[in-house]
Amino acid sequence: MIRGKFITLEGGEGVGKTTNLAFIKDYLEQHNISVVVTREPGGTVLAEKIRQLLLDNKSEAISDQAELLMMFAARAQHIKHVIEPALAKGKWVLCDRFTDATYAYQGGGRNMKISTIEWLENLVQGALRPDLTLLLDAPVEIGIARARERGAFDRFESERVSFFENVRRAYLLQAELYPERIKLIKANQPLADVQRAITDVIRILLGLSSLNCSASPRLGNVK
Ligand code: T5A
């Protein structure tokens, strides 16, 4: 059995991860690939309960340490019960956020030590890393405006703009550190153009194209 591929979608609030996850799933299925779609925090019964606790903006104040550990507790369940079994069966796993979100939100947003995140990443994931990460990037105000249209904000969405600017910076730093894995997609363009850029990247992963794609990990002119 050939192990499946692990693809993650990342980016700030409202950049279009959920929208494009459905698009990628359809595209892969058209190429006869069996896909498991999942998300973080979440993906198992227990991890979804942890998600509810993390997103509830009426709960008691959650300390930064507790938030970080809850993210990795949910991730440990998710990897054991969903991600690893699917990959082992040859399925491709398409995940809405993964550990790059922890580097961005808890590292960049909450200013938690990167070495602590790395330690937890190694503990919980072992050698597991995504084969491909699509980082949807847009100016913070665009993502927040899109998310606002959906209604009430959750605990993260209620943060200040400076928090999201730090999150965005941390995501872009991740892309700079791992240019082979993380492909930057400009998300502040019409959806059809976003999806064309995504398709270019996925085609390379499928071995359908080796041409230079329109998405680029380079960080110039990201506005
Ligand atoms: N978190 C998560 C951490 O802090 N640490 C971690 O380790 C992890 C894993 C999870 C929260 O948890 C935090 C980060 C998050 O705050 P979430 O629901 O996964 O929350 O994340 P959100 O960003 O809140 O998800 P959203 O659903 O808000 O954003 P999406 O999925 O990026 O956006 P989407 O697809 O729902 O699109 C939003 C709107 O924009 C439109 C869509 O139609 C939709 O209406 N849209 C476009 N409009 C115009 N042009 C385009 N190109 C468009 N693309 C989408």
Side-chain angles (χ1 to χ4, degrees):
M1 177 67 71
I2 297 173
R3 190 176 160 85
K5 302 268 187 211
F6 182 27
I7 303 177
T8 58
L9 260 86
E10 295 281 1
E13 308 296 310
V15 290
K17 295 175 299 298
T18 312
T19 307
N20 289 301
L21 209 68
F23 169 78
I24 298 169
K25 176 180 186 283
D26 287 349
Y27 187 82
L28 291 174
E29 286 177 347
Q30 282 163 24
H31 289 83
N32 300 318
I33 290 171
S34 175
V35 182
V36 171
V37 174
T38 185
R39 67 175 181 182
E40 288 214 347
T44 77
V45 174
L46 178 55
E48 288 291 333
K49 285 183 182 167
I50 296 174
R51 177 189 178 92
Q52 281 174 13
L53 294 171
L54 281 162
L55 298 193
D56 180 5
N57 59 14
K58 295 186 189 73
S59 70
E60 69 185 45
I62 300 177
S63 77
D64 293 350
Q65 287 87 348
E67 181 180 284
L68 176 66
L69 293 169
M70 287 163 81
M71 289 295 174
F72 273 106
R75 186 161 297 139
Q77 288 297 109
H78 193 205
I79 290 170
K80 182 176 169 58
H81 295 296
V82 175
I83 298 175
E84 275 297 353
L87 293 173
K89 282 185 198 143
K91 297 181 182 200
W92 287 34
V93 175
L94 207 47
C95 190
D96 192 340
R97 298 190 185 278
F98 194 61
T99 308
D100 292 305
T102 313
Y103 283 100
Y105 282 78
Q106 283 64 53
R110 304 278 190 234
N111 216 10
M112 300 287 294
K113 268 189 178 173
I114 296 304
S115 56
T116 306
I117 300 175
E118 281 170 344
W119 188 84
L120 287 165
E121 180 182 34
N122 289 327
L123 175 77
V124 168
Q125 295 172 220
L128 178 71
R129 299 291 182 275
D131 295 291
L132 171 68
T133 297
L134 297 163
L135 172 55
L136 298 174
D137 178 66
V140 164
E141 58 274 16
I142 289 183
I144 290 178
R146 286 183 192 163
R148 185 170 291 142
E149 281 174 23
R150 258 192 340 223
F153 278 5
D154 64 33
R155 197 174 65 85
F156 287 98
E157 289 165 345
S158 309
E159 287 290 340
R160 283 165 302 156
V161 170
S162 60
F163 174 86
F164 296 113
E165 296 287 3
N166 289 336
V167 167
R168 185 183 184 205
R169 251 192 300 279
Y171 263 134
L172 292 173
L173 178 61
Q174 285 291 101
E176 208 166 35
L177 290 172
Y178 304 102
E180 290 303 311
R181 171 174 68 83
I182 303 180
K183 301 302 175 193
L184 191 70
I185 308 280
K186 281 188 188 177
N188 55 331
Q189 52 180 341
L191 189 57
D193 294 336
V194 173
Q195 296 186 335
R196 200 167 302 119
I198 290 174
T199 307
D200 284 346
V201 177
I202 301 285
R203 282 179 66 81
I204 293 172
L205 194 64
L206 288 170
L208 298 173
S209 163
S210 59
L211 294 175
N212 232 349
C213 59
S214 56
S216 163
R218 283 193 297 276
L219 303 184
N221 195 26
V222 291
K223 273 279 174 190

